[in-house]
Amino acid sequence: MARGTLRRLAAVGAALAAACGLSATSASATAGGGWTVSPGGAFRAAAQSDYFLTTTANVVWCTSSEITGTFASGTGASGADVGEITGAEFTDCATGAPHTAVSFTGNASAAHPWKLSVVGPDPDDAHRVVLRISGVSLSLRGLDPALPCAVDFGGPDADGDGTQDGGTATAYYDNRTGVMALDSGASQLVTTSATTCDGALFFPRQAGYWMAGRYHDGYHLDVPRTITPTP
């Protein structure tokens, strides 16, 4: 399995705004008529990449990933509800040094979807829009009995009720290519639980985990869409 090096993406400032909610650009677009996804309906998207989760302590590499979900149909959808991810699969994953095989699972389902929101147009590329992925929950399990490990990733306790909420990630969708690429510099994920994880499988309980992926790879939609402000 080839191993890539972490590449930060441009426009991190715009992406960081996604972690806090919809931007003023998105709000103004919604007020003017919302957003249109064409065509709407079910989608499937595949990615070939080297890494899907990273932190200062460790990295999870996977050879490929696939997401499924639904985009809103019709015109005038608000930026907060343009779609949802209801399935997230990761294949041939490993972590640590030396690389140790692990099971890495995206806990997205119809009952607990990851929500897709439009933050606004990408200020660096008129053909792209910035998306916020919220409600993100991931699980890692060690496959080697000699290195047991169970880690769950989600979001911080944003509302102060004593329980962790879903995490957030940021992506750029390119209307020209139909590719949704994760921004490796603008996610908010923490370890919500971790047991018997040390050595090669070291995931400390901390903030500062990022969903990552080489920008030129990204998730390629089976049917390209356009996501544009509704006139």
Side-chain angles (χ1 to χ4, degrees):
M1 184 192 311
R3 306 302 183 197
T5 56
L6 185 61
R7 180 178 300 174
R8 298 283 181 183
L9 305 180
V12 170
L16 286 173
C20 301
L22 299 179
S23 68
T25 303
S26 176
S28 62
T30 302
W35 294 84
T36 297
V37 182
S38 180
F43 73 86
R44 183 181 300 273
Q48 304 292 326
S49 192
D50 289 316
Y51 41 79
F52 282 97
L53 188 75
T54 184
T55 180
T56 55
N58 215 332
V59 176
V60 177
W61 289 277
C62 301
T63 57
S64 63
S65 176
E66 182 176 272
I67 57 174
T68 54
T70 305
F71 282 114
S73 299
T75 61
S78 73
D81 58 6
V82 297
E84 57 187 26
I85 295 171
T86 54
E89 298 180 357
F90 302 89
T91 304
D92 191 15
C93 300
T95 188
H99 300 302
T100 303
V102 294
S103 169
F104 190 54
T105 305
N107 301 320
S109 66
H112 301 284
W114 299 353
K115 296 292 187 179
L116 291 171
S117 305
V118 177
V119 177
D122 182 351
D124 294 328
D125 189 333
H127 298 283
R128 299 194 309 182
V129 292
V130 183
L131 299 177
R132 179 175 184 254
I133 308 171
S134 58
V136 176
S137 172
L138 300 156
S139 297
L140 181 147
R141 299 292 184 265
L143 298 179
D144 185 346
L147 291 170
C149 179
V151 191
D152 296 313
F153 303 92
D157 180 12
D159 54 13
D161 66 355
T163 59
Q164 265 84 20
D165 301 308
T168 61
T170 298
Y172 297 94
Y173 181 74
D174 194 319
N175 284 308
R176 295 164 298 187
T177 62
V179 174
M180 182 169 61
L182 293 168
D183 183 341
S184 59
S187 300
Q188 285 191 337
L189 294 171
V190 299
T191 50
T192 57
S193 66
T195 59
T196 60
C197 297
D198 54 20
L201 301 180
F202 180 55
F203 290 93
R205 189 180 178 91
Q206 65 177 50
Y209 289 86
W210 303 278
M211 291 199 69
R214 285 186 176 182
Y215 178 72
H216 62 267
D217 290 333
Y219 285 92
H220 295 251
L221 269 66
D222 54 349
V223 177
R225 267 72 171 179
T226 58
I227 304 176
T228 54
T230 304

